[in-house]
Amino acid sequence: MLVFVINCGSSSIKYQLFDMPEKRVLARGVLERIGETGSAVLTHRAGDGKWNFEVDAPDHRAGLDFILRTLTTGETGVIKDLSEIKAVGHRVVHGGESIREAVVIDADVEAVIARCAELAPVHNPPNLMGIRTARDVLPACVQVAVFDTAFHHTLPKKAYLYALPLELYEQHGIRKYGFHGTSHEYVAVEAAARLGRPLSACNLITCHLGNGCSMTAIEGGRSVDTSMGMTPLQGLMMGTRSGDLDPAVLVHLLRNGWVADAAELDRLLNRKSGLAGISGIGNDMRTLEENMDANPRALLAVEMFCHRVRFYLGGYLALLGTCDAIVFTGGIGENDHIARAVVLSGLEALGITLDADVNEAMIRGRTGAITTPDSRIPAFVIPTDEEGMIASRTYDLAK
Ligand code: ADP
């Protein structure tokens, strides 16, 4: 069965076409700059081929039409006819409290996604637009939504509530929801397989460190705490997001007029902070590490990033009491041996013994332990596969 996975952002569509259940990727790509001045740009890969096209895509509908033509025609094509695609899996960021797992999309599900746009204004509206567009263009397909928040539906109240007046939660849904759930769940399943145990018998700490970063404490296979909050801003320091800070700082900035309004505050916290804000030379960890010997701000950014990961690691070890494995994933988690070494060094007393050589050799695409065989708690590097996970969930529901 062919399953088409799409992740619709405000100006982009990422896609992969899977042959299921083998999870064989027939084609994948990303269309960027939709609706912006000038052309949109499509990068499409199939087999060993890679193509770049300039596309006239004033909106998502035009963009998706072009992608589907690319999949069906000429040398870029991998299928003869769109009718070969039986199901579409959509990545949706926010499912609120009511959605606990992947679902076939109907009017009720759409209404939930629309309602949750209040909590995820940057992500849910384009996700919904993607769903509506795909339904128009591929009307015969089963449409499935897989939510970033779903894996965290098991958070206990003591973990998800903020210590604000309870009415704010009851009336407005102000609480921690958590994100990156598809990734945390995927690497947790893989880690359990490596441990040779059912996931329900595993306590894990999963670290998704990419441009966005989050960590999750998993007890008996269930998410019991996670570092992101009501929005993906809370928790770890990220590429351009601040993560945790004293909320009084926001009051202070507004009261003194150092930021003009909520929109500027939003930009400051989400786009100008994190690694980029501290280093002053951007949010790419590779660039920071290349420059950290010569540039004290780059070094400081890397140190702060790792400090925050260690802080959550310690907290989650205490929350869980016992931990069967720590997992690193995401662009930084999978590739950055320097950050992993800083995070895990000197933790022998907590049962974690890093194998420095093995860690350094663990590069892109590799899976395995980076701790010594006698480390009481192993740490694994496991490349995430959110799209593959979405394809599996979609296939399960569609079949
Ligand atoms: P996203 O969250 O947008 O999916 P990724 O998971 O691809 O992002 O992570 C992007 C981050 O991974 C960037 O900060 C990038 O610098 C970092 N990264 C990728 N490769 C390496 C590497 N070899 N060494 C250090 N950092 C890396």
Side-chain angles (χ1 to χ4, degrees):
M1 182 195 291
L2 297 194
V3 173
F4 189 48
V5 171
I6 62 179
N7 178 357
C8 231
S10 56
S11 64
S12 69
I13 302 174
K14 287 190 195 145
Y15 61 92
Q16 286 198 34
L17 183 62
F18 286 89
D19 192 1
M20 300 298 287
E22 294 78 16
K23 252 199 205 177
R24 197 160 57 89
V25 178
L26 300 183
R28 66 197 161 93
V30 57
L31 177 64
E32 292 167 294
R33 303 173 55 94
I34 298 169
E36 292 178 16
T37 47
S39 299
V41 180
L42 177 70
T43 308
H44 178 81
R45 290 186 167 86
D48 296 330
K50 180 180 170 191
W51 298 265
N52 286 299
F53 300 107
E54 294 205 345
V55 184
D56 182 22
D59 55 28
H60 285 73
R61 168 74 198 237
L64 193 56
D65 274 337
F66 190 88
I67 291 168
L68 293 173
R69 269 203 306 283
T70 307
L71 286 171
T72 46
T73 51
E75 57 171 356
T76 60
V78 289
I79 52 175
K80 290 205 177 62
D81 194 88
L82 288 182
S83 62
E84 292 174 46
I85 301 175
K86 300 299 178 205
V88 184
H90 296 268
R91 180 182 183 183
V92 182
V93 165
H94 218 304
E97 281 196 319
S98 58
I99 294 192
R100 298 162 157 248
E101 58 194 357
V103 287
V104 174
I105 299 168
D106 59 15
D108 290 344
V109 173
E110 272 192 44
V112 171
I113 297 169
R115 245 191 342 268
C116 290
E118 206 177 288
L119 296 166
V122 179
H123 296 103
N124 270 33
N127 294 161
L128 195 54
M129 186 156 45
I131 289 168
R132 290 176 175 153
T133 309
R135 205 181 37 214
D136 285 350
V137 183
L138 297 165
C141 286
V142 181
Q143 308 277 337
V144 170
V146 182
F147 293 85
D148 270 29
T149 48
F151 181 59
H152 301 300
H153 82 268
T154 48
L155 293 184
K157 212 166 198 170
K158 65 185 173 190
Y160 73 64
L161 280 182
Y162 296 123
L164 294 165
L166 196 58
E167 294 73 20
L168 285 175
Y169 163 62
E170 291 167 346
Q171 290 163 20
H172 302 295
I174 307 281
R175 53 160 281 188
K176 170 180 286 208
Y177 291 94
F179 298 89
H180 285 147
T182 310
S183 177
H184 288 292
E185 186 178 4
Y186 174 80
V187 297
V189 169
E190 294 291 309
R194 293 192 78 83
L195 292 167
R197 283 188 238 164
L199 180 57
S200 59
C202 294
N203 283 5
L204 304 166
I205 298 173
T206 51
C207 313
H208 179 111
L209 310 177
N211 266 317
C213 301
S214 67
M215 289 172 62
T216 296
I218 297 173
E219 185 172 49
R222 295 154 70 90
S223 170
V224 292
D225 206 347
T226 191
S227 60
M228 282 179 168
M230 184 184 86
T231 76
L233 183 57
Q234 193 185 338
L236 300 172
M237 180 174 172
M238 311 183 207
T240 60
R241 290 174 233 163
S242 66
D244 295 336
L245 72 162
D246 181 347
V249 171
L250 315 187
V251 180
H252 194 68
L253 291 175
L254 282 168
R255 193 178 273 152
N256 286 293
W258 294 335
V259 294
D261 52 22
E264 194 182 331
L265 197 53
D266 190 55
R267 254 194 320 280
L268 175 80
L269 297 169
N270 276 300
R271 303 207 181 281
K272 295 185 173 176
S273 298
L275 295 172
I278 294 295
S279 73
I281 59 165
N283 64 338
D284 192 312
M285 194 55 123
R286 281 166 294 203
T287 313
L288 302 194
E289 289 175 355
E290 278 157 23
N291 286 280
M292 67 187 177
D293 288 339
N295 181 334
R297 283 181 61 174
L299 177 63
L300 179 62
V302 176
E303 287 177 341
M304 285 175 65
F305 179 90
C306 297
H307 177 92
R308 194 75 67 88
V309 176
R310 276 171 78 98
F311 174 86
Y312 271 91
L313 185 63
Y316 287 171
L317 283 170
L319 270 188
L320 294 174
T322 64
C323 177
D324 300 303
I326 298 160
V327 186
F328 288 90
T329 195
I332 296 172
E334 291 166 32
N335 300 301
D336 187 354
H337 65 88
I338 298 172
R340 290 191 309 248
V342 176
V343 168
L344 293 183
S345 60
L347 299 184
E348 291 77 8
L350 296 177
I352 304 161
T353 308
L354 181 75
D355 185 325
D357 294 336
V358 173
N359 176 50
E360 198 169 335
M362 193 68 72
I363 49 167
R364 186 167 282 279
R366 296 232 182 115
T367 301
I370 52 171
T371 38
T372 58
D374 62 353
S375 180
R376 188 158 47 77
I377 305 175
F380 299 128
V381 171
I382 300 180
T384 194
D385 184 13
E386 289 163 287
E387 288 78 14
M389 186 84 174
I390 294 171
S392 298
R393 291 276 181 272
T394 303
Y395 172 74
D396 290 343
L397 286 168
K399 99 188 151 185

